């Protein structure tokens, strides 16, 4: 039995329709080599049902069964018999034992937005992207945060300081508006913004007001007040900050600017994902007012820190509930013990839960019309696992009712399976089934640059095992919209990982992040990112060669006018290929070949195939790759779409012979190639 020919997955070629409704009748298909097996059965629970051979195409036979779904999840796997050989096929491929843990799963009624499947995303950390409106910049000494005053950085190219949280470079939404031509030219389809709501930090994961865009990112139409008086120890005298972030005219003008930005992006065919930080808020938040920003503003009710009578009292858990603990009760729960990040106490307050549901709906509805949420530390929300699941089930229902096309992505480390059953999140930021295995394979580095492991560097078995295991924990519609990043605001820049320097900027110096980086390995990584299953997500500046250790060094500014032109052009080409080739959006994926430092895999859909081969070693390699497993004709030719190697890259036309279903190819050091079969019609037309 040719075990490599056996194939099935959850894509539209093997589950028809791919995202069925409740109680719908579907067809399930399974592929074998032509005339190679005697029986294929579908196994579900303790039952076994025969499948029927319905068609032969090329080198393969396709078996099919009709199945009546109910309203509950349906899990299944396959048993294949040939003579006295029996094997099983699950989400982890072929095995000699039945692996129910890796069974395929269909959840009737679960679908993810079509626009997000394989969409090219771009993550913007707004303060560091582009300063389009200097009049809204945070000023020196505008307020105090964590014991020191805010700082306006005058030099755009200055590397972030070790204590960077209150340093501002001035990036804003007008800056994004000014660069929409750039994003469109790059090929971006979706922008994911780090938090935009009112907040005192540059990262804005400590939200002050969920109802409004921060005027420092938006518009300050009513300015006034004073920066901190000399020697100030708190923010009671920060009247300029109080006015800027509390005056309704600034808040409404900022919301209007955001609505205009989204409208302009939609006109260009781009979508917008917001960052939802609902597990905790910030000590500046109007509900708690630990920093006494709102205490002097009569239009705002008293915060729970200021008064025991606050309408927001139950939004937080106070350990000292004696009446005399107020005013200024410091005994509230902080997330991971941080008093600047008060933990939101949902179980004690149905009003809080309702408020956040309204926020979830507000921003994906007119006039703002954002296209989805990325959920910060989503598994931490609430004080129990039971409540957490209940909350996200409701959040999904409310948000999808407000905007059925909205995407719900969560930040999550580890197995997300219990949240990805079709009734909570759509998908995740894909650390475990993308960023980590790929980083270990290509660089041998941990994603923060905190550790180097030579045993994992080039280790194809580790890469395949990690990818298979964690991809199998996601339903196919979740996998197709998973955020596949190489870098982001929480980890070192991928380009820096290519230099194998272990450390952080405060220990080894920021300059070390740029030393000895390997652009060829970076291009390999981008090649995989743009050809793997999911939504390839570029962290702003990665395409321009920005380096950096883990945060805050990874939050360097975009180097306008100083970009690495070759890397930028390479990204454009790979994004173009990703968008142009149908199998790269929603096609199946199959590993074709692997050895130390070498990987070959295919993406295929209907009668189209894309083949990707990587040589991550320092040696030239002659490789023989069996491409027929992906449906490439056994005799024919393939066309090169991209070849990246040590010295650079090329998209010049070249051809390769397919003989007996294999190609023999010479691969340079640190190289990657993307190719596709040439159909007979194309050969004639090209005269090749």
């Amino acid at each position: 039995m040719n075990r490599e020919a056996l194939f099935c997955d959850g894509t539209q070629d093997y589950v028809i329709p791919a995202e069925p409704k409740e109680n719908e009748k579907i067809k399930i298909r399974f592929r074998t080599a032509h005339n190679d097996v005697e029986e294929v059965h579908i196994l579900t629970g303790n039952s076994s049902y025969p499948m029927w051979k319905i068609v032969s195409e090329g080198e393969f036979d396709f078996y099919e069964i009709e199945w009546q779904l109910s309203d509950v999840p349906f899990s299944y796997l396959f048993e294949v018999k040939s003579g006295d050989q029996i094997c099983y096929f699950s989400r982890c491929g072929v095995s000699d034992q039945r692996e129910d843990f890796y069974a395929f799963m269909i959840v009737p009624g679960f679908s993810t937005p079509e626009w997000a499947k394989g969409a090219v995303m771009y993550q913007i950390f707004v303060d560091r992207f582009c300063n389009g409106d200097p009049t809204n910049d945070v000023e020196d000494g505008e307020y105090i945060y964590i014991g020191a005053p805010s700082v306006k950085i005058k030099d755009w190219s200055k590397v972030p300081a070790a204590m960077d949280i209150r340093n501002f470079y001035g990036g804003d939404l007008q800056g994004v508006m000014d660069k929409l031509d750039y994003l469109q030219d790059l090929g971006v389809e979706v922008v994911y913004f780090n938090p935009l709501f009112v907040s005192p930090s540059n990262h804005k994961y400590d939200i002050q007001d969920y109802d409004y865009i921060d005027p420092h990112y938006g518009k300050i139409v009513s300015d006034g007040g004073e920066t901190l008086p000399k020697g100030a120890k708190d923010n009671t005298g920060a009247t300029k900050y109080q006015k800027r972030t509390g005056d309704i005219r600034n808040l409404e003008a900022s919301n209007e600017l955001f609505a205009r930005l989204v409208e302009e992006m939609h006109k260009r065919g781009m979508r917008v994902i917001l960052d939802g930080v609902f597990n905790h808020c910030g000590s500046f938040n109007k509900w708690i007012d630990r920093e006494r920003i709102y205490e002097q503003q009569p239009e705002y009710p008293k915060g729970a820190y200021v008064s025991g009578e606050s309408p927001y009292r139950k939004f937080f858990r106070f350990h000292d509930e004696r009446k005399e603990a107020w005013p200024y009760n410091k005994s509230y729960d902080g997330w991971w013990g941080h008093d600047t990040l008060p933990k939101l106490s949902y179980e004690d307050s149905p009003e809080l839960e309702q408020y956040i549901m309204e926020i979830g709906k507000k921003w994906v509805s007119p006039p703002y019309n954002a296209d989805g949420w990325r959920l910060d530390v989503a598994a931490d929300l609430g004080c129990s696992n039971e409540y957490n699941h209940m909350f996200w089930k409701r959040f999904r229902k409310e948000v999808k009712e407000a905007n059925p096309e909205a995407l719900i992505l969560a930040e999550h480390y580890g197995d997300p399976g219990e949240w990805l059953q079709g009734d909570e999140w759509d998908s995740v930021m894909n650390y475990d089934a993308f960023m980590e295995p790929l980083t270990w394979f290509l660089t041998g580095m941990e994603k923060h640059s905190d550790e180097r492991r030579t045993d994992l560097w080039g280790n194809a078995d580790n890469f395949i095992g990690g990818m298979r295991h964690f991809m199998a924990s996601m339903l196919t519609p979740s996998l197709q919209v998973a955020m596949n990043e190489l870098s982001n605001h929480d980890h070192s820049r991928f380009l820096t990982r290519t230099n194998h320097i272990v450390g952080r900027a405060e220990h080894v110096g920021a300059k070390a992040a740029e030393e000895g980086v390997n652009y060829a390995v970076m291009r390999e990584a981008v090649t995989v990112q743009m050809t793997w299953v999911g939504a390839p997500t570029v962290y702003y500046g990665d395409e321009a060669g920005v380096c950096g250790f883990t945060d805050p060094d990874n939050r360097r500014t975009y180097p306008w006018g100083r970009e690495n032109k070759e890397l930028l052009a390479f990204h454009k080409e790979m994004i173009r290929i990703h968008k142009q080739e149908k199998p790269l959006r929603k096609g199946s994926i199959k590993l074709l070949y692997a050895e130390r430092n070498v990987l070959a895999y295919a993406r295929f859909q209907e009668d189209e195939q894309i083949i990707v081969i990587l040589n991550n070693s320092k040696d030239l390699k002659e490789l023989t790759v069996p491409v027929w497993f992906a449906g490439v004709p056994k005799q024919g030719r393939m066309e090169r779409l991209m070849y990246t190697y040590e010295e650079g890259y090329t998209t010049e036309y070249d051809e390769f012979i397919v003989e007996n279903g294999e190609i023999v190819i010479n691969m340079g050091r640190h190289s990657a190639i993307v190719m596709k079969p040439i159909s007979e019609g194309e050969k004639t037309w090209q005269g090749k």
Side-chain angles (χ1 to χ4, degrees), residues 257-296:
L257 175 64
F258 175 71
R260 280 207 310 283
L261 175 62
V262 175
E263 188 180 6
E264 182 55 40
M265 291 170 82
H266 283 170
K267 277 186 198 157
R268 293 166 179 256
M270 289 183 210
R271 305 276 184 157
V272 176
I273 294 175
L274 290 172
D275 212 319
V277 189
F278 303 134
N279 165 68
H280 55 273
C281 63
S283 55
F284 280 65
N285 193 285
K286 62 185 177 187
W287 299 334
I288 195 160
D289 201 20
R290 162 71 181 260
E291 311 284 342
R292 299 166 66 191
I293 298 294
Y294 298 98
E295 192 179 7
Q296 290 105 88

Side-chain angles (χ1 to χ4, degrees), residues 350-603:
E351 296 81 13
L352 171 62
E353 182 185 296
Q354 185 58 36
Y355 201 115
I356 294 297
M357 293 300 159
E358 296 301 326
I359 291 295
K361 293 188 289 188
K362 169 180 176 171
W363 292 102
V364 299
S365 303
Y368 308 110
N369 299 315
D371 300 285
W373 288 103
R374 175 267 190 192
L375 307 169
D376 186 57
V377 296
D380 286 12
L381 182 138
C383 294
S384 71
N385 204 35
E386 294 73 28
Y387 179 81
N388 184 280
H389 286 297
M390 196 187 81
F391 179 94
W392 292 125
K393 283 179 171 69
R394 184 181 171 200
F395 186 84
R396 178 185 186 83
K397 195 166 170 295
E398 300 265 6
V399 167
K400 298 277 185 178
E401 273 172 16
N403 181 349
E405 285 291 289
L407 180 68
I408 299 172
L409 273 173
E411 175 194 28
H412 189 73
Y413 297 85
D415 186 350
E418 61 186 280
W419 290 272
L420 295 179
Q421 299 296 311
D423 56 354
E424 296 182 49
W425 312 334
D426 282 323
S427 193
V428 290
M429 297 179 83
N430 205 2
Y431 297 124
D432 294 275
F434 187 78
M435 187 195 278
E436 286 203 18
L438 188 61
T439 294
W440 286 123
F441 179 75
L442 290 179
T443 70
M445 295 293 287
E446 186 270 338
K447 61 185 182 295
H448 290 281
S449 292
D450 280 345
E451 184 188 5
R452 184 180 178 196
R453 299 245 333 242
T454 50
D455 59 320
L456 298 182
W457 187 7
N459 185 330
D461 290 342
N462 180 72
F463 173 84
I464 294 159
M467 284 291 202
R468 277 190 174 152
H469 174 76
F470 285 106
M471 286 172 79
S473 70
M474 285 190 243
L475 301 166
T476 298
S478 298
L479 211 47
Q480 292 173 334
V481 300
M483 204 182 254
N484 288 348
E485 296 185 300
L486 297 172
S487 327
N488 65 17
H489 62 289
D490 284 328
H491 305 93
S492 59
R493 294 268 181 177
F494 188 91
L495 187 54
T496 288
R497 282 176 237 151
T498 67
N499 71 9
H500 309 293
I501 294 174
V502 173
R504 301 197 169 200
E506 62 265 38
H507 305 131
V508 296
K511 193 82 192 115
E514 302 160 26
E515 288 166 1
V517 297
N518 189 325
Y519 288 99
V521 175
M522 178 76 190
R523 289 193 298 273
E524 281 184 81
V526 174
T527 303
V528 177
Q529 183 183 38
M530 294 297 160
T531 55
W532 203 260
V533 182
T537 305
V538 179
Y539 183 42
Y540 81 99
D542 264 14
E543 77 276 25
V546 174
C547 294
F549 289 111
T550 204
D551 67 277
D553 196 39
N554 54 18
R555 299 165 185 181
R556 300 184 187 190
T557 52
Y558 187 99
W560 300 109
R562 297 177 290 110
E563 302 92 335
N564 180 310
K565 298 284 196 298
E566 184 182 57
L567 191 56
L568 182 54
F570 178 76
H571 272 82
K572 285 182 189 173
E573 289 294 343
M574 280 311 306
I575 288 171
R576 179 187 59 74
I577 290 167
H578 173 84
K579 290 163 77 171
Q580 210 164 286
E581 301 300 334
K582 183 173 72 178
L584 298 180
R585 288 264 189 206
K586 298 192 291 178
S588 301
I589 190 164
K590 180 167 172 57
L591 183 77
L592 302 176
Y593 180 80
E595 63 175 66
R596 179 149 197 85
N597 274 312
V598 172
L599 282 176
Y601 59 91
R603 298 291 305 279

Side-chain angles (χ1 to χ4, degrees), residues 165-301:
I165 192 168
R166 49 184 171 256
N167 294 348
F168 293 87
Y169 287 71
D172 49 33
L173 294 185
Q174 186 58 52
V176 177
M177 190 84 90
D178 294 347
K179 298 297 182 184
L180 288 181
D181 285 349
Y182 167 79
L183 295 174
Q184 201 166 9
D185 185 48
L186 184 59
V188 171
E189 296 172 299
V190 183
V191 170
Y192 151 48
F193 287 108
N194 284 105
L196 301 177
F197 305 120
V198 185
S199 151
S201 67
N202 54 41
H203 59 66
K204 303 210 176 303
Y205 284 97
D206 41 7
I207 298 204
Q208 184 173 328
D209 191 337
Y210 290 92
D211 282 296
Y212 297 102
I213 301 295
D214 195 317
H216 295 98
Y217 279 0
K219 280 257 180 252
I220 295 173
V221 292
S222 174
D223 214 347
E226 302 295 326
T227 53
L228 287 168
K230 202 172 170 58
K233 294 279 188 286
D234 62 27
N235 285 307
T236 50
T239 53
K240 181 180 269 289
Y241 184 78
Q242 290 165 18
K243 182 165 184 60
R244 285 179 152 194
T245 61
D247 190 312
I248 193 68
R249 289 165 293 186
N250 295 331
L251 298 169
E252 286 180 346
S254 299
N255 280 9
E256 280 166 28
L257 175 64
F258 175 71
R260 280 207 310 283
L261 175 62
V262 175
E263 188 180 6
E264 182 55 40
M265 291 170 82
H266 283 170
K267 277 186 198 157
R268 293 166 179 256
M270 289 183 210
R271 305 276 184 157
V272 176
I273 294 175
L274 290 172
D275 212 319
V277 189
F278 303 134
N279 165 68
H280 55 273
C281 63
S283 55
F284 280 65
N285 193 285
K286 62 185 177 187
W287 299 334
I288 195 160
D289 201 20
R290 162 71 181 260
E291 311 284 342
R292 299 166 66 191
I293 298 294
Y294 298 98
E295 192 179 7
Q296 290 105 88
Q297 301 187 53
E299 58 272 36
Y300 288 93

